[in-house]
Amino acid sequence: MKRFIAIFALFICAVPARADFNKDAKGTTAANFLKLGVGARADAMGGAYAAVADDATALYWNPSAMTQIHERSASATLMHAPYVASTFYDYVGFAKNFNGTDAWGTSLQYFSAGTITETDSNGFDQGSFTPYDLALSGGYAHRFQKFSLGMSAKYIRSQILTSAQTAAVDFGILSVPLLHDHLRLAGVVTNLGGKMKFDQESDRLPMAYRLGSAYQFTKQWVGSLDVAMPIDNKPYMALGTEYLWPVSRSWNFAGRAGLNSQSMSDLNGLSGASFGFGMDFESIAVDYALQPLGDLGLTHRLSVSFRFLPAAAILPKHESNMHPAEYPEYHDLQPYFDDSPSLRDKLE
């Protein structure tokens, strides 16, 4: 374990040596769809999500956070995001926590650039083509006594008229709750890998280093702050907040807002801010996010997340032996996730 931590620390120290960390490096990376966040909840919070993730989107934001999924439970997330013009961005992910210690997940990211007309050198129509990008990921996380470690590997493919493909890995670390269970800290290195080569031209992937934090002010209110250092742009900060209103024992409503300083500096007009809401019905959550992109207009994200509980959770209470008598709350119709170690579950 100590050797693994030492290797992870070397990765952290090596990132600044390979990165430019300034705005003059814009346009020097390929597969930039990998920068697009996944999950409407995360995007509504400005992308400040490295220490908050607790569902199937954790494989993207911080693979070590898959251990925040409740013990012996699983999570699945589907997202659709109409983007600029005719482009769109989709995500599907699945993650499972086996025993409270080990978790794994898999996901697919797909970005379509829409249909583009192809012309020859004289401007004559030669038909059309549909460029796209995709990334297929798989990851594993393990919870130790004081923190969780995780990694994911991904296959990346881009198709224009010709195609290019490569592989990359993400590494993440997540602390246990600190300061009387109010604070979590996280660190992530993303898109560490090869280059995308089209014909004779090759470009590096958009590698980035991110430090994240999440603070639970009350049972209903959480705030998050991420500081990111991308290899092809200057460092930026993301802020997010979420507040839950319990409507009934099995239904919660959430309001969210975020601010991303990179979007504010890269785009003209109203940009950088994000807003959203969500509704949680026991084992299903529906989330929506709105992001202004300045002169490019508005983007919308809609995602649906499912929680798959262990079979014992739906048995009559006298048939379940998952929770012993010293936890009487599980025999008084309390929500199953009250005992979850994750921030989101604690808020419910």
Side-chain angles (χ1 to χ4, degrees), residues 44-45 220-221 241-245 253-257 275-278:
M45 298 176 68
Q220 287 77 39
W221 182 24
T241 187
E242 176 184 68
Y243 193 88
L244 295 182
W245 288 272
F253 179 84
R256 305 178 182 115
F275 312 91
F277 61 87

Side-chain angles (χ1 to χ4, degrees), residues 17-308:
R18 295 187 57 194
D20 295 323
F21 293 146
N22 64 78
K23 62 181 180 180
D24 295 332
K26 291 180 182 177
T28 62
T29 57
N32 285 298
F33 78 104
L34 296 171
K35 300 178 182 179
L36 300 176
V38 304
R41 183 189 179 211
D43 285 313
M45 298 176 68
Y49 209 64
V52 179
D54 58 3
D55 55 20
T57 64
L59 193 62
Y60 173 88
W61 294 103
N62 182 355
S64 65
M66 290 188 292
T67 58
Q68 291 205 85
I69 297 171
H70 192 273
E71 180 180 346
R72 299 180 187 174
S73 297
S75 170
T77 298
L78 307 173
M79 183 200 75
H80 178 67
Y83 220 64
V84 179
S86 61
T87 65
F88 65 88
Y89 181 44
D90 289 341
Y91 175 84
V92 56
F94 177 85
K96 181 176 177 60
N97 187 328
F98 284 101
N99 49 20
T101 302
D102 300 287
W104 68 274
T106 185
S107 70
L108 174 67
Q109 297 163 250
Y110 180 84
F111 180 82
S112 171
T115 301
I116 299 176
T117 300
E118 181 182 0
T119 59
D120 61 18
S121 58
N122 297 314
F124 292 106
D125 192 341
Q126 299 295 308
S128 61
F129 62 101
T130 305
Y132 69 87
D133 301 280
L134 65 82
L136 180 63
S137 304
Y140 168 79
H142 181 81
R143 183 195 299 274
F144 297 94
Q145 185 176 3
K146 298 295 184 180
F147 55 87
S148 295
L149 291 175
M151 71 164 291
S152 66
K154 63 184 77 173
Y155 165 76
I156 304 160
R157 177 183 174 88
S158 292
Q159 174 77 40
I160 306 178
L161 289 175
T162 59
S163 64
Q165 50 273 321
T166 190
V169 293
D170 297 348
F171 292 93
I173 185 169
L174 180 70
S175 74
V176 297
L178 308 170
L179 299 180
H180 304 289
D181 291 348
H182 286 284
L183 175 69
R184 280 190 187 271
L185 301 175
V188 190
V189 180
T190 60
N191 304 318
L192 186 63
K195 293 185 176 182
M196 301 290 285
K197 185 175 182 179
F198 290 94
D199 294 328
Q200 303 303 314
E201 197 75 23
S202 62
D203 293 299
R204 57 188 176 177
L205 296 175
M207 185 177 71
Y209 173 50
R210 179 181 293 260
L211 294 174
S213 61
Y215 191 84
Q216 183 180 317
F217 297 99
T218 68
K219 289 184 177 181
Q220 287 77 39
W221 182 24
V222 65
S224 56
L225 168 65
D226 283 15
V227 177
M229 292 177 285
I231 196 174
D232 60 346
N233 208 333
K234 62 183 179 181
Y236 66 93
M237 181 174 62
L239 286 167
T241 187
E242 176 184 68
Y243 193 88
L244 295 182
W245 288 272
V247 179
S248 68
R249 184 178 295 276
S250 58
W251 178 24
N252 293 317
F253 179 84
R256 305 178 182 115
L259 191 66
N260 189 299
S261 65
Q262 184 180 61
S263 299
M264 294 175 65
S265 61
D266 287 351
L267 299 170
N268 296 322
L270 179 61
S271 62
S274 54
F275 312 91
F277 61 87
M279 292 174 286
D280 193 327
F281 308 92
E282 294 184 346
S283 61
I284 183 172
V286 180
D287 299 309
Y288 167 80
L290 172 68
Q291 283 185 304
L293 292 181
D295 297 338
L296 298 177
L298 301 175
T299 63
H300 309 268
R301 279 174 170 79
L302 180 66
S303 61
V304 181
S305 297
F306 303 90
R307 287 191 296 262
F308 302 96

